[in-house]
Amino acid sequence: MSITFWFYLCASIISVLAAHLPEHNCDSYFTYSTMDMGKTYIGVFTAPRAYITSFYWEAEFSARGREDQVDYLNPYPDNEECYANIRRGNRAEMFLIFRNITTEVPKLIKFTLNGETLCTNEKYPPLSITTRVARRMTVDEIPTAITFRKYV
């Protein structure tokens, strides 16, 4: 069989296995990504500007189907690197893990930082599930912050 056949076969399998990433209007502050060589879906939040020293991150997601798909917010990519990036004058970033994803990643419907709503989107129609996550911290707390993880 030709290389072209194997290429299209692999591409077809990958496209079937990949989860749908919903559209959102928050490209400046949020992105979907993966880790663990594409096995785990994550969402990465970015502050609107540098030199913010106190944070109250809030996000809401809408999902069709299963509950408990949105994990806790944590410094991105980890405590030490997040802290170093902020000290260098970069914008702060937080991330969360999407769990038990089979066909579709939850859709970001609201992102707020320190009371300022940075973007909103429409929820999925009923019978969708809405999940809210939030985390408060200061720059000085990041190096020693507790990293939250849910286990099922």
Side-chain angles (χ1 to χ4, degrees), residues 26 29-30 45 55-61 73 94 96 108-119 131-136:
C26 202
Y29 311 113
F30 177 78
F45 297 92
F55 305 94
Y56 184 62
W57 305 83
E58 295 178 89
E60 290 182 23
F61 290 88
L73 287 164
M94 295 286 275
L96 53 76
L108 177 68
I109 56 173
K110 186 175 183 182
F111 173 42
T112 304
L113 180 61
N114 295 338
E116 177 185 357
T117 299
L118 300 172
C119 58
T131 304
R132 179 184 169 273
V133 293
R135 183 151 185 195
R136 181 181 311 276

Side-chain angles (χ1 to χ4, degrees), residues 10 14-15 17 21 30 38-39 42 51 56 67-68 73-74 78 84-85 91 101-102 108 111 113 117 123 126 146-147:
C10 290
I14 289 169
S15 69
L17 296 177
L21 302 177
F30 177 78
K39 295 178 191 173
I42 65 172
Y51 302 109
Y56 184 62
E67 294 184 45
D68 199 24
L73 287 164
N74 289 294
D78 58 43
N85 286 337
R91 298 186 295 166
I101 301 302
T102 54
L108 177 68
F111 173 42
L113 180 61
T117 299
K123 293 183 186 186
I146 296 172
T147 300

Side-chain angles (χ1 to χ4, degrees), residues 79-143:
N79 292 14
E80 295 78 22
E81 191 68 24
C82 179
Y83 180 74
N85 286 337
I86 294 169
R87 302 302 279 182
R88 284 186 216 119
N90 297 325
R91 298 186 295 166
E93 293 182 299
M94 295 286 275
F95 82 108
L96 53 76
I97 295 174
F98 296 106
R99 302 162 9 93
N100 305 317
I101 301 302
T102 54
T103 59
E104 183 174 55
V105 177
K107 176 183 178 182
L108 177 68
I109 56 173
K110 186 175 183 182
F111 173 42
T112 304
L113 180 61
N114 295 338
E116 177 185 357
T117 299
L118 300 172
C119 58
T120 60
N121 292 289
E122 293 293 319
K123 293 183 186 186
Y124 287 127
L127 302 166
S128 64
I129 297 163
T130 300
T131 304
R132 179 184 169 273
V133 293
R135 183 151 185 195
R136 181 181 311 276
M137 66 183 356
T138 65
V139 170
D140 294 334
E141 293 172 329
I142 292 173

Side-chain angles (χ1 to χ4, degrees), residues 30-50:
F30 177 78
T31 186
Y32 291 103
S33 190
T34 60
M35 55 190 247
D36 300 331
M37 297 188 332
K39 295 178 191 173
T40 304
Y41 289 93
I42 65 172
V44 180
F45 297 92
T46 304
R49 60 194 163 283

